[in-house]
Amino acid sequence: METSEQDSVSFPQLNKPAPAFTARTTHGEKSLSDYQGRWLILFSHPADFTPVCTTEFMAFAKHHEEFLAEGADLLGLSIDSYFSHVAWVRNIKEKFGVEINFPIIEDLSMSVAKSYGMIHPGAADTSAVRATFIIDPNGILRAMVYYPMSNGRSIPEFLRVLKALKASDEHNIATPEGWQPGDQVIVPPPQDTEAADARMNEGYECTDWYFCKKSL
């Protein structure tokens, strides 16, 4: 079966430079380069003034200070206009008592959304799906997660992944399923037979030569 141009979606790649952008936002013009030296959580939503998106934005706002404490900024995006974004942010504050203090990209041209693979023709031709990208201080894409339009994200999970990525970078380790700060981490497995023979006597908590944990 041939794939039409409309059905073809270009996706960014993990551990490669995140697609550069410059865009109008509710906090003025923003570029990817503005976040150099800090982590960035870039996330898209299908549309302003929709119930699921409203719950997500309130959750991001609730955890905003925690992201900032980890050296990470939040940046939202949808295909809606700047004026729609402003009206929606004001509505959330008025109706729910929650202030959205992070910027939201106006992407009427869909240029940013397309460069990040946020437009999925199978879901909608002119709305961004729920995509989340974690970009490191060097502008490298480190994680990305896509959700369907019908289901909201769990914002604490992105905070958890951010902390796990930072721990891996700092200590050269991996983290197990559901890892939280304070839990044991996984030591990278040995790369040759000599190292494998020595592994069990290196002071780690080992189940076998390839599966060892330690505390940070």
Side-chain angles (χ1 to χ4, degrees), residues 199-205 213:
R199 174 51 56 90
M200 302 296 285
N201 299 311
E202 291 178 335
Y204 301 123
E205 182 180 309
K213 292 183 176 182

Side-chain angles (χ1 to χ4, degrees), residues 64-118:
H64 191 194
E65 291 298 323
E66 295 174 76
F67 281 106
L68 291 176
E70 294 295 329
D73 293 309
L74 300 178
L75 181 59
L77 176 150
S78 82
I79 310 304
D80 296 290
S81 71
Y82 160 81
F83 299 102
S84 176
H85 289 337
V86 170
W88 185 40
V89 166
R90 289 169 61 88
N91 179 266
I92 292 175
K93 183 177 181 179
E94 176 188 352
K95 301 297 183 182
F96 298 94
V98 177
E99 191 158 1
I100 307 300
N101 289 320
F102 51 82
I104 310 170
I105 291 174
E106 171 191 76
D107 195 26
L108 292 171
S109 67
M110 298 190 288
S111 60
V112 181
K114 287 180 177 177
S115 69
Y116 278 84
M118 297 172 178

Side-chain angles (χ1 to χ4, degrees), residues 41 50 109 174:
I41 313 298
T50 53
S109 67

